[in-house]
Amino acid sequence: DLDTHLEEALEPNCRVFIHNDDVTPFDFVIIILQRIFQLKPLAAEHVAFIAHTGGLAYVTTLACPEAYKRVGKAHFASSLEGYPLLFTVEPEE
């Protein structure tokens, strides 16, 4: 609804990052990026590849409460599978 959109517009934005690990399967990472962070398949593969090769990759920018909510969902989903997948959130300056 409109009120929610107005509130989100006033919220500070946060950047979400994904960290590489040697345990979480590449395919699982792509599924999380698509389902939870709403990335298109090609974008999800690109982000996963950058994280895999560089150790860290930018995922998306969202209103901070939404960023934390999605990161929580991603951590929960990966913990259910026994994976140590890690996302971090940084407020935009």
Side-chain angles (χ1 to χ4, degrees):
D1 64 340
L2 188 59
D3 288 343
T4 311
H5 286 298
L6 289 173
E7 282 174 28
E8 283 180 358
L10 300 174
E11 299 272 5
N13 281 337
C14 284
R15 289 189 296 258
V16 178
F17 293 90
I18 183 172
H19 299 254
N20 185 52
D21 64 70
D22 296 328
V23 180
T24 310
F26 201 74
D27 291 345
F28 182 80
V29 172
I30 290 170
I31 289 167
I32 293 292
L33 291 170
Q34 287 180 255
R35 292 202 184 141
I36 296 176
F37 295 99
Q38 313 291 296
L39 296 189
K40 300 272 186 256
L42 224 57
E45 282 189 33
H46 180 72
V47 168
F49 180 76
I50 298 287
H52 182 71
T53 55
L56 179 73
Y58 166 78
V59 178
T60 188
T61 299
L62 299 161
C64 288
E66 183 65 21
Y68 283 106
K69 188 170 97 180
R70 291 193 195 186
V71 164
K73 281 184 182 178
H75 286 164
F76 181 72
S78 55
S79 71
L80 285 180
E81 300 293 330
Y83 301 137
L85 184 59
L86 177 66
F87 289 89
T88 52
V89 177
E90 287 181 11
E92 280 196 324
E93 292 303 318

